Every structure is written in structure tokens, then in C-alpha cells.
């Protein structure tokens, strides 16, 4: 009877360590998937960034100057076109700002997931006494 209880205890101990190994591997796989998704998000939003903003502002100013130089349209149409240029530029800045904030958040999530992976790998189960 005593041997039977001891053997059941050792089975439970072994089963417990496998359970922890499985839990660790699931956490690591999910963290790795999160890192990959956030990395994909960061790379996907690079095209939305307004990196040469001064150059794009200068280009918008040149477009407005060209509109002012045209003599085939009246002043109302010129003002409408210039307002459209300004609106497009403001939208580009807003999209760029959102893309940058999303990239910063995704980078923060990646760092947190890496910290989680390190902790999961370093944590060891307490031995049974």
C-alpha cells in the first residue's frame, strides 16, 4: 500500500513538470507570435510615415505657388485648390502621427513580450520536498 502511494506521487510529480513544460512552451509560442505580428505591423506602417516632412511641406508650398501662377482659373478656384492641398497635407501629417504612435506601441509590446519570454525561461519549478 505504501509503495502504491509513493509511485502515484512520483507519477504526479512527473506529470506536473510536463504540465509546466507545456505551459512554458505555449507562453513562448504565443509571445513569439505576438512579436511577429507587431513586427509585421511596424514594417507595414513605415510607408505611412511622413519622414521628410520639411520636404513635403516645401512641395505643398510649390504646388500652391504654381496654382497662384495659373491664369486660366479664377481666384475662387485657386483658393479651393490651395485649400485642397492644405487639407491633403494635414491628413498626411495626421496619418503619419497615428502610424508613429502605433509603431511605438507595437515596439513596447515587443519589448514586454521579450521580457516575458526571458522570465518564463529563467523561472524554474520548486523541487518537491
Amino acid at each position: 500500500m505504501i509503495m502504491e502511494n509513493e509511485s502515484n506521487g512520483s507519477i504526479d510529480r512527473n506529470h506536473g513538470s510536463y504540465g509546466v513544460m507545456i505551459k512554458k512552451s505555449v507562453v513562448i509560442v504565443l509571445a513569439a507570435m505576438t512579436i511577429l505580428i507587431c513586427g509585421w505591423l511596424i514594417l507595414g506602417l513605415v510607408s505611412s510615415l511622413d519622414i521628410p516632412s520639411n520636404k513635403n511641406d516645401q512641395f505643398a508650398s510649390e504646388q500652391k505657388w504654381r496654382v497662384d501662377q495659373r491664369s486660366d482659373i479664377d481666384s475662387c478656384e485657386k483658393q479651393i485648390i490651395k485649400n485642397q492641398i492644405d487639407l491633403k497635407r494635414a491628413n498626411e501629417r495626421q496619418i503619419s502621427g497615428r502610424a508613429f504612435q502605433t509603431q511605438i506601441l507595437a515596439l513596447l509590446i515587443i519589448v514586454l513580450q521579450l521580457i516575458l519570454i526571458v522570465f518564463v525561461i529563467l523561472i524554474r519549478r520548486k523541487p518537491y520536498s
Side-chain angles (χ1 to χ4, degrees):
M1 186 80 169
I2 294 173
M3 295 282 276
E4 193 174 305
N5 286 340
E6 286 178 11
S7 65
N8 285 342
S10 66
I11 291 172
D12 288 339
R13 284 186 210 142
N14 288 337
H15 179 67
S17 66
Y18 289 128
V20 170
M21 295 273 294
I22 291 172
K23 289 177 187 175
K24 281 185 176 183
S25 62
V26 168
V27 169
I28 291 172
V29 167
L30 290 175
M33 287 175 49
T34 304
I35 290 170
L36 289 174
I37 291 169
C38 288
W40 172 75
L41 182 64
I42 288 171
L43 292 177
L45 290 175
V46 167
S47 62
S48 298
L49 292 177
D50 187 24
I51 305 259
S53 61
N54 291 339
K55 196 175 229 183
N56 290 336
D57 288 340
Q58 182 181 1
F59 181 68
S61 295
E62 288 175 10
Q63 283 181 323
K64 291 193 297 187
W65 180 79
R66 282 189 221 126
V67 168
D68 277 337
Q69 300 302 316
R70 290 179 60 180
S71 60
D72 60 330
I73 55 177
D74 63 355
S75 63
C76 277
E77 285 184 75
K78 287 180 183 180
Q79 190 60 41
I80 290 171
I81 293 171
K82 289 194 289 188
N83 288 343
Q84 287 174 343
I85 292 169
D86 288 337
L87 182 63
K88 181 181 175 193
R89 186 71 196 114
N91 285 340
E92 288 172 354
R93 277 193 207 113
Q94 195 173 37
I95 290 169
S96 176
R98 284 190 202 134
F100 183 70
Q101 289 174 352
T102 304
Q103 286 179 324
I104 293 297
L105 182 64
L107 188 62
L108 179 66
I109 291 171
I110 287 173
V111 169
L112 291 174
Q113 293 297 318
L114 289 173
I115 292 170
L116 174 72
I117 288 174
V118 168
F119 279 133
V120 166
I121 290 172
L122 293 179
I123 290 177
R124 296 189 183 188
R125 218 179 127 105
K126 292 181 181 177
Y128 288 100
S129 51

